[in-house]
């Protein structure tokens, strides 16, 4: 298969690029909510499961998950309890430190998630085929740097508001905790309706 010459790209200003990014973020947020519902999870739990999948054989600790999802260690315990009850993860003792546990994905849950997401990733790969390796490198660099920027900005906002991840109730971690409590209540209500 020979590489196609790069397609001409329409000119865009930074403002237009930011607007396009905002549209992608909004579509992704709505999509994640729908995917989570199809898998019987809430968005925070699905995000944690996604990080477990991304880690592969390098099993994450609960603390590492809490850091990645930006929730408290107490909140991640609740998330892992729900994921374990739903059959998505198991906890394994850390071979180097028996006091810590590592989180492993359950193979049947991995299969369910891949069945749902793989057609979307196939379409993304088809889209990437329209770009040269150099363009894909620029996209990957931009996504990586924009993620670092977003995380740093969020941490600055938390610091300005006086909250912290394991702290006193001023940050997004508490919003996530409230979401988890609300999702648990919704799940109970749904169970009552069945």
């Amino acid at each position: 298969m020979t590489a196609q010459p790069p397609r001409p790209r329409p000119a865009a200003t930074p403002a237009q690029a930011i607007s396009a990014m905002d549209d992608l973020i909004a579509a992704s947020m709505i999509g994640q909510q729908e995917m989570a519902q199809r898998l019987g999870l809430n968005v925070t739990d699905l995000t944690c499961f996604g990080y477990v999948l991304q880690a592969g054989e390098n099993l994450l600790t609960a603390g590492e998950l809490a850091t990645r999802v930006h929730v408290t260690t107490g909140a991640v315990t609740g998330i892992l309890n729900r994921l374990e009850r739903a059959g998505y993860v198991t906890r394994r003792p850390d071979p180097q430190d028996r006091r810590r546990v590592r989180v492993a994905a359950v193979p049947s849950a991995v299969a369910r998630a891949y069945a749902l997401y793989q057609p979307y990733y196939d379409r993304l790969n088809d889209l990437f085929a329209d770009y040269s390796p150099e363009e894909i490198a620029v996209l990957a660099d931009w996504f990586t740097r924009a993620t670092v920027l977003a995380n740093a900005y969020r941490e600055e906002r938390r610091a300005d508001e006086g909250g912290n991840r394991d702290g006193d109730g001023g940050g997004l971690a508490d919003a996530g905790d409230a979401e988890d409590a609300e999702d648990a209540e919704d799940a109970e209500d749904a169970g009552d309706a069945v």
Side-chain angles (χ1 to χ4, degrees), residues 46-121:
L46 177 59
T47 301
C48 268
F49 185 63
Y51 281 123
V52 170
L53 292 178
Q54 189 179 58
E57 296 299 315
N58 300 317
L59 303 182
L60 299 173
T61 66
E64 289 167 336
L65 273 174
T67 298
R68 289 183 188 201
V69 183
H70 300 276
V71 297
T72 63
T73 53
V76 89
T77 298
I79 291 167
L80 291 176
N81 288 344
R82 288 191 300 276
L83 285 171
E84 199 165 37
R85 277 194 308 270
Y88 280 86
V89 301
T90 58
R91 292 180 245 209
R92 299 180 182 167
D94 186 317
Q96 278 75 44
D97 182 351
R98 304 290 284 178
R99 295 169 294 175
R100 286 195 316 193
V101 296
R102 296 206 170 259
V103 183
V106 172
S108 61
V110 173
R112 286 195 308 269
Y114 274 95
L116 190 59
Y117 277 93
Q118 194 58 52
Y120 176 62
Y121 284 112

Side-chain angles (χ1 to χ4, degrees), residues 151-166:
N151 288 333
Y153 183 74
R154 187 176 56 248
E155 292 301 323
E156 287 172 21
R157 297 278 52 91
R158 284 186 184 165
D160 288 348
E161 294 167 5
N164 61 51
R165 208 171 56 76
D166 290 321

Side-chain angles (χ1 to χ4, degrees), residues 18-28:
I18 288 172
S19 179
M21 179 192 70
D22 286 344
D23 290 343
L24 174 61
I25 291 169
S28 295

Side-chain angles (χ1 to χ4, degrees), residues 177-191:
D177 295 346
E179 178 190 87
D180 293 341
E182 191 175 297
D183 287 334
E185 193 173 293
D186 290 346
E188 286 176 18
D189 292 344

